[in-house]
């Protein structure tokens, strides 16, 4: 009898704590939603062009913005109450793995068109004030309509207006307008993506001497956008762009010399052009220069200088540089070894969508580097890395399926992953494939 009473009291204490936590979370979400709504109202009197930046900074100033996103996502009525704000988080990559404009648009539409079913029971949704549901639902709808309008305005209407302007001046022979028009066709800004037209307008811009047009024409030849792949022509146009002072062209010319694309490999010249690009402020060039110092290509190996240039590149947002900094901290190259800092840089890289960072972050979770071991999260990040095309991501995802790391054993999926890894140069994936074959045979 005493044991039963003790259990009963313990359950009541746990229930009380859970109820209090639930109420606390409701208050947090309600206040956040109201504050977000007030920021929307302020935008009607402030500069519309800086509204999104101001709102993003306001959200990121919350130390627990990741918690807020999770609370909104896990709320049983998030479609009705928080879909608009969740959409904003997705659109601007706030506490999310990647920015997802399509998902943001879907959530804005959901919020803007939201109607609560007449038979929906909200009796226990807000214990203190059931009117809160109606208020937050209306706020969610208003925010959704506003953000949807802004989304359409910026991503469709403005680009369409720009496109018309670019076309007008491009036809008159303006090389900058020709470049901008090519860029719109390449990326589908205000127009359906069309590599052939992108190549056409980049060609006109490049032949009219515009450095960025020359660089992007080289890009088309290198990747086969709107034309056949031709590394020699890519090298020629990158050279013209670089000699015209274009930092992006200088970086790409350094890359050609480093990899031997369209020319003989020459690390000295790669270092020379990466240096010019880096000093001209190109983030990718800064990362390239950092790698020259890291590997000793065209210059004496110097991990500390590699760190300096990786850091400059990372501060400009380069996701691969962030991954590279993680590697330096993981192995203590040029810095004091720190698994914690390695994990932090890998996280930044992975959350930017970098496949290298995603794989490395999965490795940290698997091995417990800078974070507690978590096989489920290791599996999640290996899956993202694999979906991003990372060969090591294919291999380690295969191991997860093969050995049940963070997921159920699934040899069929493991074989698919191992074969992808093998096809992309991970030779030892054949060993694991043989193991599966042998076990199936036996």
């Amino acid at each position: 009898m005493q044991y039963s009473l003790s259990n009963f009291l313990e359950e009541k204490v746990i229930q009380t704590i859970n109820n209090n936590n639930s109420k606390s979370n409701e208050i947090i979400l309600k206040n956040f939603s109201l504050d977000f709504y007030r920021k929307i109202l302020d935008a009607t009197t402030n500069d519309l062009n800086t509204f999104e930046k101001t709102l993003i900074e306001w959200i990121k100033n919350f130390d627990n913005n990741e918690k807020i996103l999770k609370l909104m996502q896990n709320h049983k009525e998030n479609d009705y109450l928080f879909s608009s704000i969740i959409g904003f988080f997705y659109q601007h990559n706030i506490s999310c793995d990647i920015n997802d404009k399509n998902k943001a648009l879907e959530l804005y539409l959901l919020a803007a068109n939201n109607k609560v079913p007449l038979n929906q029971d909200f009796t226990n949704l807000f214990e203190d004030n059931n009117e809160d549901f109606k208020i937050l639902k209306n706020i969610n709808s208003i925010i959704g309509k506003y953000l949807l309008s802004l989304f359409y305005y910026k991503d469709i209407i403005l680009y369409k207006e720009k496109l018309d302007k670019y076309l007008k001046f491009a036809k008159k022979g303006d090389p900058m307008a020709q470049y901008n028009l090519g860029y719109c066709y390449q990326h589908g800004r205000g127009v359906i993506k069309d590599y052939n037209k992108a190549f056409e307008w980049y060609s006109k811009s490049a032949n009219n001497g515009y450095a960025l047009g020359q660089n992007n024409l080289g890009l088309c030849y290198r990747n086969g956008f709107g034309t056949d792949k031709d590394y020699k022509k890519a090298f020629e146009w990158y050279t013209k762009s670089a000699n015209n002072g274009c930092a992006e062209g200088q970086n790409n010319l350094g890359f050609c010399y480093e990899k031997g694309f369209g020319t003989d490999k020459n690390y000295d010249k790669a270092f020379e052009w990466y240096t010019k690009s880096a000093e001209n402020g190109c983030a990718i060039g800064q990362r390239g220069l950092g790698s020259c110092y890291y590997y000793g290509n065209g210059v004496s190996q110097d991990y500390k200088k590699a760190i300096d240039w990786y850091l400059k590149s990372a501060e400009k947002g380069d996701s691969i540089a962030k991954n590279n900094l993680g590697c330096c901290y993981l192995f203590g190259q040029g810095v004091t070894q720190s698994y914690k800092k390695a994990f932090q840089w890998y996280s930044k890289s992975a959350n930017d969508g970098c496949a290298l960072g995603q794989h490395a972050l999965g490795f940290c979770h698997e091995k417990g580097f800078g974070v507690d071991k978590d096989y489920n999260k290791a599996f999640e990040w290996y899956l993202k890395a694999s979906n991003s095309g990372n060969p090591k991501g294919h291999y380690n995802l295969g191991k997860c399926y093969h050995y049940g790391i963070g997921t159920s054993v699934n040899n069929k999926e493991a074989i698919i992953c191992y074969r992808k890894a093998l096809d992309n140069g991970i030779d030892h994936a054949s060993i694991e494939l043989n193991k599966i074959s042998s076990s199936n045979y036996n």
Side-chain angles (χ1 to χ4, degrees):
M1 186 73 178
Q2 183 178 359
Y3 177 77
S4 299
L5 178 60
S6 175
N7 282 352
F8 173 77
L9 292 174
E10 183 178 342
E11 288 175 2
K12 293 298 289 182
V13 169
I14 293 173
Q15 183 179 359
T16 301
I17 293 172
N18 289 337
N19 288 339
N20 289 337
N21 287 339
S22 178
K23 289 181 181 179
S24 175
N25 289 339
E26 295 289 359
I27 292 171
I28 290 172
L29 289 179
K30 182 174 75 172
N31 290 337
F32 186 82
S33 181
L34 290 170
D35 287 342
F36 194 100
Y37 175 61
R38 293 187 186 101
K39 292 290 182 182
I40 295 285
L41 294 179
D42 289 343
T44 61
T45 57
N46 295 330
D47 186 1
L48 184 64
N49 293 322
T50 62
F51 158 69
E52 286 182 316
K53 182 179 179 181
T54 301
L55 192 54
I56 291 168
E57 290 176 353
W58 172 73
I59 294 172
K60 288 186 174 180
N61 281 335
F62 282 87
D63 292 333
N64 59 346
N65 59 69
E66 290 186 10
K67 176 185 176 182
I68 288 171
L69 177 60
K70 288 180 180 178
L71 287 176
M72 289 190 294
Q73 290 173 323
N74 293 332
H75 197 287
K76 61 182 180 180
E77 303 298 345
N78 64 65
D79 283 354
Y80 296 119
L81 305 182
F82 309 113
S83 52
S84 60
I85 304 177
I86 295 172
F88 191 83
F89 275 68
Y90 274 112
Q91 182 182 357
H92 298 285
N93 192 23
I94 304 172
S95 302
C96 301
D97 297 335
I98 57 173
N99 64 318
D100 191 336
K101 288 189 175 184
N102 290 331
K103 183 66 175 178
L105 178 59
E106 176 186 327
L107 290 169
Y108 292 156
L109 287 167
L110 177 65
N113 298 318
N114 235 336
K115 291 183 179 179
V116 181
L118 294 176
N119 62 348
Q120 180 70 49
D121 181 14
F122 302 115
T123 305
N124 298 317
L125 183 59
F126 291 95
E127 294 182 10
D128 294 335
N129 185 359
N130 291 332
E131 286 298 311
D132 282 354
F133 175 81
K134 294 180 180 179
I135 294 171
L136 291 181
K137 173 190 171 288
N138 288 333
I139 285 176
N140 185 50
S141 181
I142 293 170
I143 293 173
K145 289 175 181 176
Y146 184 87
L147 294 178
L148 182 63
S149 299
L150 190 63
F151 184 95
Y152 281 137
Y153 176 71
K154 289 188 67 178
D155 281 42
I156 298 176
I157 297 174
L158 282 184
Y159 274 116
K160 184 65 173 64
E161 291 176 355
K162 288 181 179 179
L163 192 72
D164 292 339
K165 186 184 294 184
Y166 294 153
L167 184 58
K168 177 182 177 181
F169 287 99
K171 287 182 176 179
K172 293 181 179 180
D174 186 313
M176 184 184 295
Q178 292 167 340
Y179 161 79
N180 287 329
L181 195 56
Y183 187 89
C184 288
Y185 277 115
Q186 180 187 348
H187 298 282
R189 300 291 174 83
V191 68
I192 297 173
K193 187 182 290 187
D194 189 327
Y195 286 144
N196 290 328
K197 289 187 177 180
F199 175 78
E200 174 188 342
W201 286 108
Y202 283 148
S203 296
K204 292 180 180 180
S205 176
N207 285 310
N208 282 327
Y210 190 59
L212 280 172
Q214 293 167 337
N215 173 71
N216 282 27
L217 184 58
L219 188 73
C220 289
Y221 278 116
R222 179 172 133 195
N223 294 290
F225 292 161
T227 187
D228 294 333
K229 279 188 179 182
D230 191 325
Y231 289 145
K232 286 187 176 180
K233 286 186 178 179
F235 174 78
E236 290 172 5
W237 284 109
Y238 285 150
T239 301
K240 291 180 180 180
S241 177
N243 287 327
N244 279 335
C246 177
E248 290 80 3
Q250 291 165 342
N251 166 72
N252 287 324
L253 186 57
F255 184 79
C256 286
Y257 278 119
E258 179 188 357
K259 303 298 182 182
F261 287 167
T263 187
D264 294 332
K265 277 188 180 182
N266 189 321
Y267 288 142
D268 290 337
K269 287 189 176 180
F271 174 77
E272 174 190 341
W273 285 108
Y274 279 142
T275 300
K276 290 181 180 180
S277 177
E279 290 176 348
N280 280 332
C282 177
I284 304 176
Q286 290 169 341
R287 185 231 301 163
L289 184 57
S291 292
C292 287
Y293 280 113
Y294 184 88
Y295 293 106
N297 290 340
V299 67
S300 298
Q301 190 175 50
D302 190 326
Y303 288 140
K304 288 186 177 180
K305 286 186 178 179
I307 288 286
D308 290 340
W309 285 108
Y310 284 153
L311 187 58
K312 288 180 181 180
S313 178
E315 287 172 346
K316 288 180 178 290
D318 187 85
S319 60
I320 298 178
K322 294 173 186 178
N323 171 77
N324 292 352
L325 282 169
C327 292
C328 290
Y329 277 107
L330 184 68
F331 298 106
Q333 296 166 322
V335 290
T336 302
Q337 188 178 45
S338 172
Y339 290 152
K340 184 177 180 180
K341 288 186 178 180
F343 176 80
Q344 290 171 349
W345 280 112
Y346 284 143
S347 296
K348 291 179 180 180
S349 176
N351 286 322
D352 284 346
C354 175
L356 292 169
Q358 290 168 342
H359 172 264
L361 193 58
F363 185 76
C364 287
H365 281 296
E366 182 186 357
K367 303 299 181 182
F369 288 156
V371 67
D372 292 336
K373 282 186 179 182
D374 190 326
Y375 293 140
N376 291 330
K377 287 186 178 179
F379 171 78
E380 290 174 9
W381 284 108
Y382 285 148
L383 177 61
K384 289 176 183 178
S386 179
N387 288 337
S388 297
N390 182 267
K392 291 182 179 179
H394 298 323
Y395 176 77
N396 282 320
L397 184 62
K399 289 188 70 176
C400 288
Y401 283 122
H402 188 178
Y403 299 104
I405 301 172
T407 188
S408 302
V409 172
N410 188 328
N411 282 342
K412 183 178 180 180
E413 289 294 331
I415 289 171
I416 292 172
C417 293
Y418 284 148
R419 283 177 176 168
K420 285 182 181 179
L422 190 61
D423 290 342
N424 284 278
I426 308 297
D427 294 336
H428 52 275
S430 61
I431 298 174
E432 301 299 329
L433 283 169
N434 290 334
K435 288 181 182 178
I436 294 178
S437 298
S438 299
S439 62
N440 289 340
Y441 179 76
N442 294 329

